[in-house]
Each structure stands twice: as structure tokens, then as C-alpha cells.
Amino acid sequence: DAGITQSPRHKVTETGTPVTLRCHQTENHRYMYWYRQDPGHGLRLIHYSYGVKDTDKGEVSDGYSVSRSKTEDFLLTLESATSSQTSVYFCAISDTSGRAGAGELFFGEGSRLTVL
Amino acid sequence: GQQVMQIPQYQHVQEGEDFTTYCNSSTTLSNIQWYKQRPGGHPVFLIQLVKSGEVKKQKRLTFQFGEAKKNSSLHITATQTTDVGTYFCAGRGTSYGKLTFGQGTILTVHP
């Protein structure tokens, strides 16, 4: 398995509180992604990064922000958590964009977030 | 934006029966990938298809990419209990952009 660590793995929080999820990789891959997984919706991209300090929005970015100050770390922040953000969050990495090489994603173990 | 639809959402089979999941994109794809997620686990890459009409096999799994590069399928022959999980397709647009995942097919295999 690729060296990807997500923390925390489980978190319960209350509506309106800030939450930060961390993704740490030891593979030195350029691309990092945050997805959320919900029943019936598959995996939806929240934000992604194509380099240090280079990030862009995915299809469900509202209410989320990200930061990448180092190659190995990609942080996902919920500034004010809402119940609709209860989900399983997966970090993923890849070494290419798909233009050169498969660009397959390697996923972390996931972080289960419950917002009460 | 690009949409990827996957059917069926659920499939229950008896062990030994075949299983197929289908993936359809609203736009032409540059490539398509397939992932498997075991219950409680994380998605794991299975394969990528790039060429129009491409067919690839991995033991009992057969993957196809449509001639128009807008659809794909995964077929499992003679399912086993180890095949249980959710199978996702993920399509990449022609600009080599982000992957868009289908909703996934949850496969249950009854022994």
C-alpha cells in the first residue's frame, strides 16, 4: 500500500465548529485529492492540489478549504461544520495527471466525520 | 460538467453466478479506470483502459471500453465471496483533467 496517512480516522463534532482533516504522504507524489463518499453518490471530488501551494476546486467545494504548504501534507478544513458534511472523507494521491502514465489514485484509509 | 453514470447500484448474486456493472459518460473520455472497495475499506485501483474498443482481462475479471470511448463495463465470471465490495468506474475527460467517479455498484455474493 502507498504511504498515505489520514488523521483523525474518526471524529464527532457539533454544528458550527471548525474541523481540519490531515493527509500525509511519504510517496513524494505531486497530486493530492480530497474526496467525500456518501451512499448513492460515489466519490465526489472536493479539492485537489497539483503542487505546493497550488490547489483548485472540485465538484463539491462549497464549505471546504484546503492548504498544501509541503509536498507531503494536504489539509482539508471545514470552517463551520454542518450536518450535511457528515461523510467519509478520503485523501488520494497520484504521481501523474494522466497525461503521462496511468495517473491511478492511491487512497488513504478514510476519515469518518459526524457532525451533530 | 462531465457526468459518469453507473448501473446497477446494487447486485446480489449467488456464488458462481456472473456479474456485470456498466458505466456511461456524458462526454468522450480519454481513459477510464476501475476501482474496488472492500466493505469498510478504501478504493483500490484495478485497471485503466485507454484505447477505443479495448478489452483487458485479469483472471475472472474482464474490462471493456466502448468504441466511442463513452462507456465501459466490468464483468466477473463465476463470482466468489472474495469479490464482495463496491466497484467504481472513474472517467477522465479528453483534456486529461480530473477523474469523475460513477456512483458505484455494490456487489453481494451469497455462498
Side-chain angles (χ1 to χ4, degrees), chain B residues 54-92:
Chain B
E54 189 170 15
V55 178
K56 287 188 176 181
K57 293 188 176 183
Q58 289 181 348
K59 298 183 180 179
R60 294 178 294 104
L61 279 60
T62 302
F63 304 84
Q64 295 187 332
F65 200 10
E67 295 289 341
K69 301 184 73 173
K70 295 182 71 174
N71 58 77
S72 182
S73 66
L74 159 60
H75 179 82
I76 302 178
T77 303
T79 56
Q80 300 175 358
T81 55
T82 54
D83 295 324
V84 164
T86 303
Y87 292 85
F88 292 100
C89 62
R92 179 172 275 121

Short mmCIF file of all heavy atoms in Angstrom, two decimals, chain B residues 54-92:
data_model
loop_
_atom_site.label_atom_id
_atom_site.label_comp_id
_atom_site.label_asym_id
_atom_site.label_seq_id
_atom_site.Cartn_x
_atom_site.Cartn_y
_atom_site.Cartn_z
N GLU B 54 -11.04 -1.30 -26.38
CA GLU B 54 -10.07 -2.10 -25.64
C GLU B 54 -10.74 -3.10 -24.71
O GLU B 54 -11.76 -2.79 -24.10
CB GLU B 54 -9.14 -1.18 -24.84
CG GLU B 54 -7.95 -1.88 -24.19
CD GLU B 54 -6.94 -0.90 -23.63
OE1 GLU B 54 -7.27 0.30 -23.49
OE2 GLU B 54 -5.81 -1.32 -23.32
N VAL B 55 -10.16 -4.28 -24.63
CA VAL B 55 -10.62 -5.32 -23.71
C VAL B 55 -9.40 -5.82 -22.94
O VAL B 55 -8.38 -6.16 -23.52
CB VAL B 55 -11.28 -6.50 -24.44
CG1 VAL B 55 -11.69 -7.59 -23.43
CG2 VAL B 55 -12.48 -6.04 -25.24
N LYS B 56 -9.52 -5.85 -21.62
CA LYS B 56 -8.45 -6.36 -20.79
C LYS B 56 -9.02 -7.37 -19.80
O LYS B 56 -10.16 -7.23 -19.35
CB LYS B 56 -7.76 -5.23 -20.02
CG LYS B 56 -6.87 -4.35 -20.87
CD LYS B 56 -6.07 -3.39 -19.99
CE LYS B 56 -5.11 -2.57 -20.81
NZ LYS B 56 -4.31 -1.63 -19.96
N LYS B 57 -8.21 -8.37 -19.48
CA LYS B 57 -8.65 -9.39 -18.53
C LYS B 57 -7.67 -9.50 -17.38
O LYS B 57 -6.46 -9.39 -17.54
CB LYS B 57 -8.78 -10.74 -19.24
CG LYS B 57 -9.90 -10.79 -20.27
CD LYS B 57 -10.12 -12.21 -20.79
CE LYS B 57 -11.30 -12.24 -21.74
NZ LYS B 57 -11.61 -13.62 -22.22
N GLN B 58 -8.26 -9.73 -16.20
CA GLN B 58 -7.49 -10.03 -15.01
C GLN B 58 -8.16 -11.23 -14.38
O GLN B 58 -9.17 -11.11 -13.70
CB GLN B 58 -7.49 -8.86 -14.02
CG GLN B 58 -6.70 -7.66 -14.43
CD GLN B 58 -6.76 -6.56 -13.37
OE1 GLN B 58 -7.55 -6.59 -12.43
NE2 GLN B 58 -5.91 -5.55 -13.52
N LYS B 59 -7.63 -12.42 -14.65
CA LYS B 59 -8.21 -13.66 -14.13
C LYS B 59 -9.69 -13.73 -14.48
O LYS B 59 -10.04 -13.83 -15.66
CB LYS B 59 -7.98 -13.75 -12.62
CG LYS B 59 -6.50 -13.80 -12.24
CD LYS B 59 -6.32 -13.97 -10.75
CE LYS B 59 -4.83 -14.01 -10.42
NZ LYS B 59 -4.60 -14.15 -8.95
N ARG B 60 -10.60 -13.67 -13.54
CA ARG B 60 -12.02 -13.78 -13.83
C ARG B 60 -12.67 -12.45 -14.18
O ARG B 60 -13.88 -12.40 -14.45
CB ARG B 60 -12.72 -14.39 -12.61
CG ARG B 60 -12.33 -15.83 -12.30
CD ARG B 60 -13.03 -16.36 -11.05
NE ARG B 60 -12.59 -15.64 -9.85
CZ ARG B 60 -13.31 -14.73 -9.24
NH1 ARG B 60 -14.54 -14.42 -9.69
NH2 ARG B 60 -12.85 -14.11 -8.17
N LEU B 61 -11.93 -11.37 -14.17
CA LEU B 61 -12.47 -10.04 -14.47
C LEU B 61 -12.14 -9.65 -15.89
O LEU B 61 -11.00 -9.76 -16.34
CB LEU B 61 -11.88 -9.01 -13.51
CG LEU B 61 -12.47 -8.87 -12.10
CD1 LEU B 61 -12.35 -10.17 -11.30
CD2 LEU B 61 -11.84 -7.71 -11.36
N THR B 62 -13.17 -9.16 -16.62
CA THR B 62 -12.99 -8.67 -17.98
C THR B 62 -13.49 -7.23 -18.04
O THR B 62 -14.63 -6.95 -17.66
CB THR B 62 -13.77 -9.53 -18.99
OG1 THR B 62 -13.33 -10.88 -18.91
CG2 THR B 62 -13.56 -9.00 -20.41
N PHE B 63 -12.64 -6.36 -18.53
CA PHE B 63 -12.94 -4.94 -18.64
C PHE B 63 -13.02 -4.56 -20.12
O PHE B 63 -12.18 -4.97 -20.91
CB PHE B 63 -11.85 -4.10 -17.97
CG PHE B 63 -11.59 -4.44 -16.54
CD1 PHE B 63 -10.74 -5.48 -16.20
CD2 PHE B 63 -12.19 -3.72 -15.52
CE1 PHE B 63 -10.48 -5.81 -14.89
CE2 PHE B 63 -11.93 -4.03 -14.19
CZ PHE B 63 -11.09 -5.08 -13.87
N GLN B 64 -14.04 -3.75 -20.47
CA GLN B 64 -14.19 -3.30 -21.84
C GLN B 64 -14.37 -1.80 -21.88
O GLN B 64 -15.02 -1.22 -21.01
CB GLN B 64 -15.40 -3.98 -22.50
CG GLN B 64 -15.26 -5.48 -22.68
CD GLN B 64 -16.41 -6.06 -23.49
OE1 GLN B 64 -17.51 -5.53 -23.49
NE2 GLN B 64 -16.14 -7.15 -24.17
N PHE B 65 -13.83 -1.19 -22.93
CA PHE B 65 -14.01 0.24 -23.20
C PHE B 65 -14.72 0.35 -24.53
O PHE B 65 -14.29 -0.26 -25.52
CB PHE B 65 -12.64 0.91 -23.26
CG PHE B 65 -12.66 2.40 -23.04
CD1 PHE B 65 -13.79 3.08 -22.61
CD2 PHE B 65 -11.50 3.14 -23.25
CE1 PHE B 65 -13.77 4.45 -22.39
CE2 PHE B 65 -11.47 4.52 -23.03
CZ PHE B 65 -12.61 5.17 -22.60
N GLY B 66 -15.78 1.11 -24.57
CA GLY B 66 -16.59 1.19 -25.78
C GLY B 66 -15.89 1.84 -26.95
O GLY B 66 -14.91 2.58 -26.79
N GLU B 67 -16.41 1.56 -28.14
CA GLU B 67 -15.81 2.10 -29.37
C GLU B 67 -15.81 3.62 -29.38
O GLU B 67 -14.87 4.25 -29.87
CB GLU B 67 -16.57 1.57 -30.59
CG GLU B 67 -16.47 0.07 -30.80
CD GLU B 67 -15.08 -0.36 -31.25
OE1 GLU B 67 -14.31 0.50 -31.74
OE2 GLU B 67 -14.75 -1.55 -31.10
N ALA B 68 -16.86 4.21 -28.83
CA ALA B 68 -16.96 5.67 -28.81
C ALA B 68 -16.26 6.28 -27.59
O ALA B 68 -16.26 7.51 -27.42
CB ALA B 68 -18.42 6.10 -28.82
N LYS B 69 -15.67 5.45 -26.76
CA LYS B 69 -14.98 5.89 -25.54
C LYS B 69 -15.90 6.69 -24.63
O LYS B 69 -15.50 7.68 -24.00
CB LYS B 69 -13.70 6.67 -25.88
CG LYS B 69 -12.70 5.88 -26.70
CD LYS B 69 -11.41 6.62 -26.96
CE LYS B 69 -10.55 6.70 -25.73
NZ LYS B 69 -9.22 7.27 -26.01
N LYS B 70 -17.16 6.25 -24.55
CA LYS B 70 -18.11 6.89 -23.65
C LYS B 70 -18.72 5.89 -22.68
O LYS B 70 -19.48 6.28 -21.79
CB LYS B 70 -19.23 7.58 -24.44
CG LYS B 70 -18.74 8.74 -25.29
CD LYS B 70 -19.90 9.43 -26.02
CE LYS B 70 -20.77 10.20 -25.08
NZ LYS B 70 -21.80 10.99 -25.79
N ASN B 71 -18.42 4.61 -22.85
CA ASN B 71 -18.95 3.63 -21.94
C ASN B 71 -17.95 2.52 -21.69
O ASN B 71 -17.01 2.31 -22.47
CB ASN B 71 -20.27 3.06 -22.45
CG ASN B 71 -20.12 2.42 -23.79
OD1 ASN B 71 -19.62 1.32 -23.92
ND2 ASN B 71 -20.55 3.11 -24.83
N SER B 72 -18.18 1.82 -20.59
CA SER B 72 -17.28 0.76 -20.18
C SER B 72 -18.05 -0.25 -19.34
O SER B 72 -19.14 0.04 -18.84
CB SER B 72 -16.12 1.34 -19.35
OG SER B 72 -15.20 0.33 -18.99
N SER B 73 -17.49 -1.44 -19.24
CA SER B 73 -18.12 -2.46 -18.41
C SER B 73 -17.07 -3.30 -17.72
O SER B 73 -15.93 -3.42 -18.18
CB SER B 73 -19.04 -3.35 -19.25
OG SER B 73 -18.30 -4.09 -20.19
N LEU B 74 -17.48 -3.86 -16.60
CA LEU B 74 -16.68 -4.82 -15.85
C LEU B 74 -17.51 -6.07 -15.67
O LEU B 74 -18.64 -6.00 -15.17
CB LEU B 74 -16.30 -4.23 -14.48
CG LEU B 74 -15.90 -5.23 -13.38
CD1 LEU B 74 -14.69 -6.05 -13.79
CD2 LEU B 74 -15.64 -4.49 -12.07
N HIS B 75 -16.98 -7.19 -16.10
CA HIS B 75 -17.69 -8.47 -16.00
C HIS B 75 -16.86 -9.42 -15.15
O HIS B 75 -15.65 -9.56 -15.37
CB HIS B 75 -17.90 -9.06 -17.40
CG HIS B 75 -18.60 -10.38 -17.39
ND1 HIS B 75 -19.96 -10.50 -17.30
CD2 HIS B 75 -18.11 -11.64 -17.44
CE1 HIS B 75 -20.29 -11.78 -17.30
NE2 HIS B 75 -19.18 -12.50 -17.39
N ILE B 76 -17.50 -10.02 -14.16
CA ILE B 76 -16.84 -11.02 -13.34
C ILE B 76 -17.49 -12.37 -13.62
O ILE B 76 -18.72 -12.54 -13.50
CB ILE B 76 -16.95 -10.72 -11.83
CG1 ILE B 76 -16.33 -9.35 -11.53
CG2 ILE B 76 -16.25 -11.80 -11.01
CD1 ILE B 76 -16.42 -8.93 -10.07
N THR B 77 -16.69 -13.33 -13.99
CA THR B 77 -17.17 -14.68 -14.27
C THR B 77 -17.08 -15.52 -13.00
O THR B 77 -16.09 -15.48 -12.29
CB THR B 77 -16.31 -15.33 -15.36
OG1 THR B 77 -16.35 -14.51 -16.54
CG2 THR B 77 -16.80 -16.72 -15.70
N ALA B 78 -18.15 -16.26 -12.75
CA ALA B 78 -18.17 -17.20 -11.62
C ALA B 78 -17.74 -16.53 -10.33
O ALA B 78 -16.66 -16.80 -9.78
CB ALA B 78 -17.30 -18.41 -11.91
N THR B 79 -18.58 -15.64 -9.83
CA THR B 79 -18.25 -14.85 -8.65
C THR B 79 -17.89 -15.72 -7.45
O THR B 79 -18.38 -16.86 -7.30
CB THR B 79 -19.41 -13.93 -8.25
OG1 THR B 79 -20.59 -14.72 -8.06
CG2 THR B 79 -19.65 -12.85 -9.27
N GLN B 80 -17.02 -15.16 -6.62
CA GLN B 80 -16.63 -15.80 -5.37
C GLN B 80 -16.92 -14.83 -4.22
O GLN B 80 -17.08 -13.63 -4.46
CB GLN B 80 -15.14 -16.15 -5.41
CG GLN B 80 -14.78 -17.10 -6.53
CD GLN B 80 -13.28 -17.35 -6.63
OE1 GLN B 80 -12.48 -16.79 -5.88
NE2 GLN B 80 -12.89 -18.22 -7.57
N THR B 81 -16.95 -15.33 -3.01
CA THR B 81 -17.25 -14.45 -1.87
C THR B 81 -16.19 -13.37 -1.72
O THR B 81 -16.46 -12.30 -1.16
CB THR B 81 -17.37 -15.26 -0.58
OG1 THR B 81 -16.18 -16.03 -0.39
CG2 THR B 81 -18.58 -16.19 -0.62
N THR B 82 -15.01 -13.60 -2.21
CA THR B 82 -13.95 -12.58 -2.14
C THR B 82 -14.19 -11.42 -3.10
O THR B 82 -13.49 -10.41 -3.02
CB THR B 82 -12.59 -13.22 -2.47
OG1 THR B 82 -12.68 -13.89 -3.73
CG2 THR B 82 -12.18 -14.20 -1.39
N ASP B 83 -15.17 -11.55 -3.99
CA ASP B 83 -15.48 -10.46 -4.92
C ASP B 83 -16.39 -9.41 -4.30
O ASP B 83 -16.63 -8.36 -4.91
CB ASP B 83 -16.16 -11.01 -6.19
CG ASP B 83 -15.26 -11.92 -6.99
OD1 ASP B 83 -14.03 -11.64 -7.04
OD2 ASP B 83 -15.75 -12.91 -7.56
N VAL B 84 -16.89 -9.67 -3.11
CA VAL B 84 -17.80 -8.74 -2.43
C VAL B 84 -17.15 -7.37 -2.30
O VAL B 84 -15.96 -7.25 -1.98
CB VAL B 84 -18.17 -9.28 -1.05
CG1 VAL B 84 -18.77 -8.19 -0.18
CG2 VAL B 84 -19.10 -10.46 -1.17
N GLY B 85 -17.94 -6.33 -2.56
CA GLY B 85 -17.44 -4.97 -2.42
C GLY B 85 -18.16 -4.03 -3.35
O GLY B 85 -19.14 -4.40 -3.99
N THR B 86 -17.66 -2.82 -3.43
CA THR B 86 -18.21 -1.82 -4.33
C THR B 86 -17.22 -1.58 -5.46
O THR B 86 -16.03 -1.37 -5.21
CB THR B 86 -18.48 -0.49 -3.59
OG1 THR B 86 -19.35 -0.72 -2.49
CG2 THR B 86 -19.11 0.53 -4.54
N TYR B 87 -17.72 -1.61 -6.68
CA TYR B 87 -16.90 -1.40 -7.86
C TYR B 87 -17.21 -0.05 -8.47
O TYR B 87 -18.37 0.25 -8.74
CB TYR B 87 -17.14 -2.52 -8.88
CG TYR B 87 -16.63 -3.85 -8.39
CD1 TYR B 87 -17.43 -4.65 -7.57
CD2 TYR B 87 -15.36 -4.30 -8.71
CE1 TYR B 87 -16.97 -5.88 -7.09
CE2 TYR B 87 -14.88 -5.52 -8.24
CZ TYR B 87 -15.69 -6.29 -7.43
OH TYR B 87 -15.23 -7.49 -6.96
N PHE B 88 -16.20 0.76 -8.63
CA PHE B 88 -16.34 2.10 -9.18
C PHE B 88 -15.63 2.21 -10.52
O PHE B 88 -14.52 1.72 -10.68
CB PHE B 88 -15.70 3.15 -8.27
CG PHE B 88 -16.37 3.36 -6.95
CD1 PHE B 88 -15.88 2.76 -5.81
CD2 PHE B 88 -17.48 4.18 -6.85
CE1 PHE B 88 -16.48 2.97 -4.58
CE2 PHE B 88 -18.09 4.39 -5.62
CZ PHE B 88 -17.59 3.78 -4.49
N CYS B 89 -16.29 2.89 -11.45
CA CYS B 89 -15.57 3.34 -12.63
C CYS B 89 -15.24 4.81 -12.42
O CYS B 89 -15.90 5.51 -11.64
CB CYS B 89 -16.40 3.17 -13.89
SG CYS B 89 -17.94 4.12 -13.92
N ALA B 90 -14.21 5.28 -13.09
CA ALA B 90 -13.81 6.69 -12.98
C ALA B 90 -13.29 7.13 -14.35
O ALA B 90 -12.33 6.55 -14.86
CB ALA B 90 -12.73 6.87 -11.92
N GLY B 91 -13.95 8.12 -14.92
CA GLY B 91 -13.59 8.57 -16.26
C GLY B 91 -12.80 9.86 -16.24
O GLY B 91 -13.05 10.75 -15.42
N ARG B 92 -11.85 9.94 -17.14
CA ARG B 92 -11.05 11.16 -17.28
C ARG B 92 -11.38 11.79 -18.63
O ARG B 92 -11.36 11.14 -19.65
CB ARG B 92 -9.57 10.85 -17.17
CG ARG B 92 -8.68 12.08 -17.33
CD ARG B 92 -7.22 11.77 -17.02
NE ARG B 92 -6.91 11.86 -15.60
CZ ARG B 92 -6.44 10.86 -14.88
NH1 ARG B 92 -6.22 9.70 -15.45
NH2 ARG B 92 -6.16 11.02 -13.61
#
